[in-house]
Amino acid sequence: MNALVVEDSPPMRKMIVFALSRIRELSVTEADDGVDALRQIASKKFDIIITDINMPILDGLKLVKRLRNDEAYKEVPIIIITTEGAEEDRQRALALGANAYITKPIQAPQVMALVRETLGLGGG
Amino acid sequence: MSRDDAESPSLRDQTQAFLHEFFVKGQELIRELIEENERLRKSMVPGSNVELSPTSAEMVGRLMRQVEELEHEAAEIRRMATGVQSDAGYRDRLQSLEDEHYHLAAMYVASGQFHGAATVDEVLRTSTEILLNFVGVGSFTLFVVDESRDVLFPLWREGGDPAERPELARPTEGPVAEALGIGRAWRPGDPMGATDDALMHLPLYSGSRLVGVIRIESFLPQKNEFADTDFGLLELVSGHTGIGIENAWIRAHAEAVPVERQAIEHLVGG
């Protein structure tokens, strides 16, 4: 299975990739922002997308909207990364079609568990 | 509370329920034995050789089998309880290793980011990302030492405008002075420099040179206190932010000189 991590903060992105790389069934690709994500999506099919909301150029909300308008990504699970205070962004992303959210500061076990659950993968 | 902790009361409840049932059955068994004994005593004729009736022998046999079954059941429950406990211990250990693994990865990522930060902006961005995303700090102000005027001035603020913060005279006493006066990068166990308006004053050192201080003012809403793993990251921020700002300062004022073999070899071992 292929996962795409979209996050403009390099440390955050690396930590999410680190967490997801612990899931043996996943192959993880990184994107710096929404535009980079669309570029990656054009060349590869992903089974799950984990994206930050606040990013330059094309933010996470616009990315979710674009993906849900794309026939190939209508049903692909999208997990958004938000801060605790960003309730409005979170609600908008969920309304646009995101499946779940993770709140910063993230913890690897939390990310792994949510991705496993979303993809219907077994524990451990 | 971990999942294992949550399961422990359930195991205790099961064990208690089993023991309760065990003793109730034991009481029944004793009562039946006493009744049987009474019946046998009444049927005995003094001086005669009374044998147990087939019914009594069956009863004793059945009771003995019940005792054996109960003992077997108890042994099985004990074996299962031991298994669950050792499994819980294993899972605790696995969780602890996972946490340690994650912590080391966070330290590794943070160190790599600091080493790649060449400008003051990059150093500030890296410090901010680590404090916000890895430690869970909600707001802070980074002050830098103005060595000419011997004051701390606000350079960067997360959660507000740094201009809203006044300059600070270098403190000479109190918790902040104690935190800043350690003479090197902060380590776990050093003074936290907590005040009424700050959770911590994290000194920023480059070697023994005090470069600045980060006043940590609040956590993110979902965090209430520092976790053990935060202290390693704070130690890293204390040293690397100080060195990063100093390096960026030197770099900004350095003259561009081409690298030459003889000159650089001269520096080796110097």
Side-chain angles (χ1 to χ4, degrees):
Chain A
M1 287 181 150
N2 294 317
L4 178 64
V5 175
V6 193
E7 167 66 75
D8 63 319
S9 158
M12 269 295 283
R13 192 170 64 243
K14 284 187 169 67
M15 287 310 295
I16 297 167
V17 170
F18 162 76
L20 297 186
S21 66
R22 311 295 309 282
I23 301 175
R24 276 173 297 178
E25 296 89 340
L26 281 186
S27 167
V28 187
T29 302
E30 302 176 40
D32 292 339
D33 53 45
V35 172
D36 191 19
L38 292 176
R39 202 176 299 132
Q40 302 278 3
I41 284 164
S43 61
K44 192 173 182 180
K45 180 76 168 77
F46 293 96
D47 302 287
I48 187 164
I49 293 163
I50 297 103
T51 180
D52 189 17
I53 291 286
N54 297 311
M55 292 184 293
I57 311 177
L58 183 73
D59 67 27
L61 293 173
K62 288 178 186 151
L63 178 64
V64 172
K65 194 173 178 182
R66 290 277 286 268
L67 290 172
R68 288 305 182 226
N69 286 329
D70 181 336
E71 201 56 42
Y73 280 90
K74 263 191 169 9
E75 304 295 330
V76 170
I78 301 174
I79 296 174
I80 55 166
I81 305 161
T82 68
T83 51
E84 183 68 17
E87 180 63 26
E88 195 181 328
D89 282 347
R90 188 153 58 235
Q91 292 307 325
R92 277 190 65 196
L94 293 172
L96 285 169
N99 298 71
Y101 64 88
I102 307 170
T103 306
K104 294 179 188 177
I106 61 141
Q107 294 293 322
Q110 175 201 15
V111 177
M112 289 165 67
L114 183 57
V115 169
R116 279 189 173 285
E117 184 190 337
T118 305
L119 289 175
L121 299 171
Chain B
M1 181 185 280
S2 73
R3 183 180 297 176
D4 297 332
D5 290 337
E7 285 176 358
S8 296
S10 171
L11 176 63
R12 277 198 298 273
D13 290 347
Q14 286 176 19
T15 306
Q16 280 177 352
F18 166 75
L19 289 173
H20 177 73
E21 187 185 353
F22 185 87
F23 284 113
V24 167
K25 285 184 178 175
Q27 278 179 329
E28 285 173 6
L29 172 65
I30 290 165
R31 193 166 53 246
E32 284 174 0
L33 282 171
I34 291 169
E35 286 170 1
E36 180 67 6
N37 190 37
E38 280 297 310
R39 196 184 64 74
L40 288 171
R41 277 175 48 180
K42 284 177 186 168
S43 68
M44 282 174 69
V45 179
S48 67
N49 231 351
V50 178
E51 291 184 353
L52 293 178
S53 68
T55 310
S56 302
E58 281 171 13
M59 173 69 83
V60 170
R62 189 169 65 80
L63 293 174
M64 290 305 290
R65 278 195 300 279
Q66 278 185 3
V67 169
E68 278 175 18
E69 280 170 17
L70 286 170
E71 282 176 345
H72 177 74
E73 210 173 325
E76 183 66 13
I77 293 282
R78 275 195 294 270
R79 189 189 64 74
M80 284 168 63
T82 307
V84 169
Q85 280 165 1
S86 65
D87 185 44
Y90 169 77
R91 275 189 282 163
D92 283 346
R93 179 72 186 129
L94 185 65
Q95 185 58 50
S96 144
L97 286 172
E98 279 289 338
D99 291 346
E100 182 66 15
H101 192 177
Y102 178 75
H103 174 59
L104 290 173
M107 297 284 283
Y108 172 77
V109 168
S111 299
Q113 290 299 308
F114 272 121
H115 283 288
T119 65
V120 172
D121 265 350
E122 287 171 355
V123 173
L124 295 178
R125 192 159 56 242
T126 300
S127 305
T128 301
E129 285 176 354
I130 290 164
L131 289 172
L132 261 62
N133 296 326
F134 292 1
V135 179
V137 168
S139 61
F140 68 86
T141 307
L142 188 149
F143 294 84
V144 172
V145 176
D146 181 328
E147 293 174 329
S148 302
R149 295 188 296 130
D150 202 25
V151 295
L152 293 156
F153 65 94
L155 178 67
W156 177 257
R157 188 175 169 206
E158 179 63 31
D161 182 355
E164 292 172 1
R165 294 283 184 221
E167 285 188 344
L168 306 172
R170 274 179 80 153
T172 53
E173 57 183 22
V176 181
E178 203 181 332
L180 299 188
I182 53 178
R184 49 156 175 77
W186 187 89
R187 293 176 196 152
D190 283 342
M192 298 287 283
T195 57
D196 289 344
D197 56 357
L199 300 164
M200 178 183 193
H201 282 81
L202 182 68
L204 309 176
Y205 270 93
S206 175
S208 59
R209 183 185 192 181
L210 180 67
V211 176
V213 60
I214 295 176
R215 181 163 72 187
I216 298 175
E217 290 149 5
S218 70
F219 290 122
L220 289 172
Q222 66 270 37
K223 190 177 173 96
N224 299 315
E225 59 184 358
F226 289 113
D228 287 344
T229 49
D230 294 336
F231 297 124
L233 287 163
L234 291 172
E235 178 179 4
L236 194 138
V237 170
S238 175
H240 285 63
T241 304
I243 292 169
I245 291 173
E246 187 185 58
N247 282 348
W249 177 256
I250 292 168
R251 194 187 293 257
H253 293 83
E255 193 182 338
V257 177
V259 174
E260 291 174 355
R261 176 176 177 171
Q262 194 179 5
I264 206 162
E265 281 179 346
H266 189 66
L267 296 174
V268 176

